[in-house]
């Protein structure tokens, strides 16, 4: 289990516990490798993948700071591969 505070909801969420945690961390590393090729963060790659998926018509992206929100907009401009 990841080191979250006792009252953190992620302690109970399947995506943040094994076996899904290891799979999700590998996915983040893959997104990071792709992002490094385009000089963007893994989150921007995830937004780009979502926007390029023909089954999806929109992506709702949030952030905790202005800097986080400003950076995710680059996902709309990242080319499909």
């Amino acid at each position: 289990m990841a080191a979250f505070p006792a009252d953190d909801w992620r302690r109970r969420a399947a995506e943040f516990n094994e076996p899904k945690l290891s799979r999700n961390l590998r996915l983040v590393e893959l997104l990071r490798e792709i992002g490094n090729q385009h000089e963007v963060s893994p989150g921007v790659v995830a937004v780009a993948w979502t926007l390029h998926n023909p089954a999806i018509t929109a992506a709702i992206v949030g952030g905790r700071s202005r800097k986080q929100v400003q950076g995710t907009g680059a996902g709309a401009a990242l080319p499909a591969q």
Side-chain angles (χ1 to χ4, degrees):
M1 176 183 303
F4 297 118
D7 63 344
D8 193 312
W9 64 270
R10 293 172 291 184
R11 290 181 68 93
R12 297 178 305 281
E15 300 298 326
F16 291 92
N17 289 282
E18 296 300 343
K20 290 185 177 183
L21 178 62
S22 291
R23 183 200 69 192
N24 291 338
L25 291 174
R26 285 191 305 272
L27 177 58
V28 170
E29 286 310 310
L30 176 61
L31 295 174
R32 187 179 320 283
E33 288 175 25
I34 295 168
N36 286 342
Q37 295 172 15
H38 299 278
E39 300 179 354
V40 297
S41 71
V44 170
V45 176
V47 171
W49 179 88
T50 301
L51 293 173
H52 288 295
N53 185 328
I56 299 173
T57 58
I60 299 173
V61 180
R64 293 184 179 194
S65 69
R66 175 182 288 178
K67 183 178 178 181
Q68 285 180 336
V69 174
Q70 289 171 335
T72 57
L78 199 63
Q81 293 189 5

